[in-house]
Amino acid sequence: MFTHTAIANLNALELIIYNYVIKNKDKVMYMTIRELADAADVSTTTVMRFCKKMGCDGYSEFRIRFKLSIEQEIHQPVNFGVGEIVSFFNSINNKEFDELINQAVIHIANADRIVFVGAGSSGSLGKYGARFFSNVGKFSNYIDDPYYPVSTDTFKNAVAIILSVSGETQEILRLASQFSLHGCKVISITNSETCSLARMADFNLSYHMPQTIVSGGHNITTQVPVIYILEAIGHHLAQMSLSK
């Protein structure tokens, strides 16, 4: 019942409810609206807005539909975190997400050059993305240095695919701005479509996973959705090449 389109329309408070619901499935189906609001630390009005964005007339309908969806699942022992990943794949198993992938492919297909950009873990994924795209016939390279100078016209008719979980890293935002300034189209892959990077980009794909921050402020939010998105785009590009 949680489609990618519905999740993408949630605001920050509604995303808190969504994250609580998918982490506490067994509890939520028996909670009152007040109990859910208190547990997620939001208002009952916010819960009602969340229910309506999930296609329900009210909380009672949401709870019934949610309980039915849980009962239809095959429960098996799983490792920590698998539930969130399964929820992601369930949310993108629809035509709306396929169309988003197709739009990304259209942006990329006619570009002369593809540049993957990211820092830290996202930089490693950028390196993987560049190799994967090169494997399917779209030569690409990557930048994992957030201070990389973008000061020439070599990026005209190019596409920069910028990876960032938060979409708020200042150095990455600076790079995105420089790419746009030099005529390079920017595609961002972020955890939220409301972050600064997503708003700056020409096109954004977001995956809406619960963020996990460990001591020291390090972000270890799962990057499985990013790998899937990159490979999905790559496979579409490969199919286009074969059909020519």
Side-chain angles (χ1 to χ4, degrees), residues 131-192:
R131 178 55 188 264
F132 192 87
F133 274 40
S134 295
N135 285 349
V136 300
K138 196 71 178 179
F139 178 74
S140 310
N141 56 8
Y142 69 95
I143 297 172
D144 58 2
D145 176 6
Y147 300 101
Y148 189 90
V150 182
S151 56
T152 69
D153 293 331
T154 58
F155 295 101
K156 283 187 176 180
N157 200 31
V159 171
I161 300 177
I162 304 183
L163 313 178
S164 175
V165 178
S166 69
E168 301 294 346
T169 305
Q170 289 303 310
E171 293 80 7
I172 295 299
L173 293 177
R174 183 193 64 80
L175 274 177
S177 176
Q178 288 298 305
F179 278 118
S180 295
L181 183 64
H182 288 83
C184 179
K185 187 166 292 185
V186 173
I187 294 177
S188 63
I189 301 178
T190 60
N191 196 43
S192 169

Side-chain angles (χ1 to χ4, degrees), residues 15-67:
L15 279 172
I16 292 174
I17 300 172
Y18 168 73
N19 290 333
Y20 181 86
V21 167
I22 64 174
K23 287 183 175 180
N24 299 274
K25 294 180 179 180
D26 294 338
K27 295 180 182 178
V28 170
M29 69 176 80
Y30 301 110
M31 282 181 165
T32 65
I33 187 172
R34 169 56 62 186
E35 288 171 339
L36 177 56
D38 290 345
D41 197 23
V42 298
S43 68
T44 54
T45 302
T46 302
V47 175
M48 285 297 297
R49 287 200 304 267
F50 169 79
C51 294
K52 290 184 181 298
K53 289 185 178 181
M54 293 301 110
C56 302
D57 290 333
Y59 182 70
S60 295
E61 181 182 346
F62 169 78
R63 192 170 62 174
I64 292 170
R65 288 180 56 189
F66 182 67
K67 185 177 180 180

Side-chain angles (χ1 to χ4, degrees), residues 43-159:
S43 68
T44 54
T45 302
T46 302
V47 175
M48 285 297 297
R49 287 200 304 267
F50 169 79
C51 294
K52 290 184 181 298
K53 289 185 178 181
M54 293 301 110
C56 302
D57 290 333
Y59 182 70
S60 295
E61 181 182 346
F62 169 78
R63 192 170 62 174
I64 292 170
R65 288 180 56 189
F66 182 67
K67 185 177 180 180
L68 288 173
S69 69
I70 295 299
E71 290 173 348
Q72 290 171 358
E73 292 180 358
I74 301 174
H75 295 279
Q76 296 178 345
V78 295
N79 295 323
F80 176 79
V82 172
E84 287 85 354
I85 295 172
V86 170
S87 294
F88 164 74
F89 283 112
N90 286 337
S91 74
I92 65 170
N93 187 26
N94 52 64
K95 291 182 179 178
E96 290 87 352
F97 190 79
D98 289 341
E99 179 56 31
L100 289 174
I101 295 294
N102 287 333
Q103 290 179 39
V105 171
I106 291 171
H107 283 293
I108 294 168
N110 296 321
D112 294 333
R113 182 179 180 187
I114 309 297
V115 182
F116 284 84
V117 181
S121 298
S122 293
S124 299
L125 289 176
K127 181 178 181 180
Y128 173 78
R131 178 55 188 264
F132 192 87
F133 274 40
S134 295
N135 285 349
V136 300
K138 196 71 178 179
F139 178 74
S140 310
N141 56 8
Y142 69 95
I143 297 172
D144 58 2
D145 176 6
Y147 300 101
Y148 189 90
V150 182
S151 56
T152 69
D153 293 331
T154 58
F155 295 101
K156 283 187 176 180
N157 200 31
V159 171

Side-chain angles (χ1 to χ4, degrees), residues 172-224:
I172 295 299
L173 293 177
R174 183 193 64 80
L175 274 177
S177 176
Q178 288 298 305
F179 278 118
S180 295
L181 183 64
H182 288 83
C184 179
K185 187 166 292 185
V186 173
I187 294 177
S188 63
I189 301 178
T190 60
N191 196 43
S192 169
E193 81 288 342
T194 62
C195 64
S196 299
L197 178 58
R199 294 179 185 277
M200 291 174 62
D202 297 288
F203 185 76
N204 173 259
L205 284 162
S206 49
Y207 43 97
H208 306 288
M209 296 298 292
Q211 288 204 53
T212 304
I213 309 296
V214 296
S215 58
H218 300 295
N219 194 323
I220 58 169
T221 302
T222 178
Q223 296 291 275
V224 170

